[in-house]
Amino acid sequence: MKQFQDSTPTNIDLLCDEVEDRLSWRRRLEAVEELGKWRCNQSIHALYKRIAHDLAFPVKELAFRKLQAFGEDVRLTKNKRGNLVPKIEKKFQLVRQRMINPHSYDEFKALVKELYPEAYDLYECQKGARFDEWLQKWINTSS
């Protein structure tokens, strides 16, 4: 039994916009889930774009699974390791320089989220439950 419909949803434009939201991997993941319920050219194209361009591996992997369910011949690239954002160390140093209280983790975290929302979102996705521990080390090493 197939888990999708061969038609275009009425909210396809909204879904295509949500799947491009670079500030929320959760919103992209939800949009991919919904696009996977509808097999049409627009949803297939949007899912292929997620595989090719999304740095958040859970989003990329779900898009891959949905396209496989559609019967598409698709390949999944490896999960990127290391620094996902170029020069992230330099960005963290700039955040530290702007801090009033150099030892406040909450202030550091809030400034990272404000100044680099895409990087924050991406690392929050990739690090998962270890995100705070990972970010905490930067407040001590970014000087």
Side-chain angles (χ1 to χ4, degrees):
M1 182 174 124
K2 65 182 181 179
Q3 301 169 339
F4 55 85
Q5 297 180 23
D6 286 316
S7 60
T8 303
T10 57
N11 62 342
I12 189 70
D13 292 331
L14 176 64
L15 290 172
C16 288
D17 287 344
E18 287 178 355
V19 84
E20 295 288 335
D21 183 357
R22 294 171 51 167
L23 300 181
S24 176
W25 68 270
R26 288 178 180 90
R27 182 174 287 158
R28 291 193 311 274
L29 195 66
E30 290 171 4
V32 166
E33 183 68 47
E34 187 61 29
L35 285 168
K37 296 176 183 176
W38 306 91
R39 184 168 63 179
C40 65
N41 287 338
Q42 289 166 296
S43 64
I44 289 170
H45 177 73
L47 293 173
Y48 269 112
K49 278 181 70 175
R50 288 305 91 215
I51 290 175
H53 302 292
D54 211 303
L55 294 175
F57 193 74
V59 175
K60 184 182 282 202
E61 184 178 30
L62 184 59
F64 169 75
R65 302 271 177 243
K66 295 300 181 178
L67 285 169
Q68 273 188 325
F70 288 170
E72 295 289 315
D73 182 24
V74 63
R75 305 221 187 276
L76 181 62
T77 58
K78 291 183 181 178
N79 188 4
K80 190 174 177 184
R81 298 282 182 202
N83 287 340
L84 304 172
V85 176
K87 300 181 182 177
I88 192 67
E89 299 92 351
K90 181 78 170 163
K91 291 176 182 180
F92 285 151
Q93 286 175 354
L94 293 173
V95 170
R96 279 233 3 180
Q97 291 171 3
R98 291 187 63 172
M99 291 175 62
I100 297 167
N101 180 356
H103 299 291
S104 169
Y105 172 68
D106 291 332
E107 182 186 356
F108 180 73
K109 185 176 179 178
L111 270 173
V112 169
K113 189 171 186 174
E114 178 186 328
L115 297 174
Y116 304 106
E118 290 179 33
Y120 181 94
D121 183 69
L122 178 59
Y123 281 107
E124 181 188 39
C125 174
Q126 293 297 91
K127 299 297 181 185
R130 299 172 311 164
F131 176 71
D132 282 321
E133 177 186 330
W134 173 82
L135 192 59
Q136 180 77 43
K137 79 174 180 142
W138 286 103
I139 199 168
N140 300 322
T141 60
S142 298
S143 45

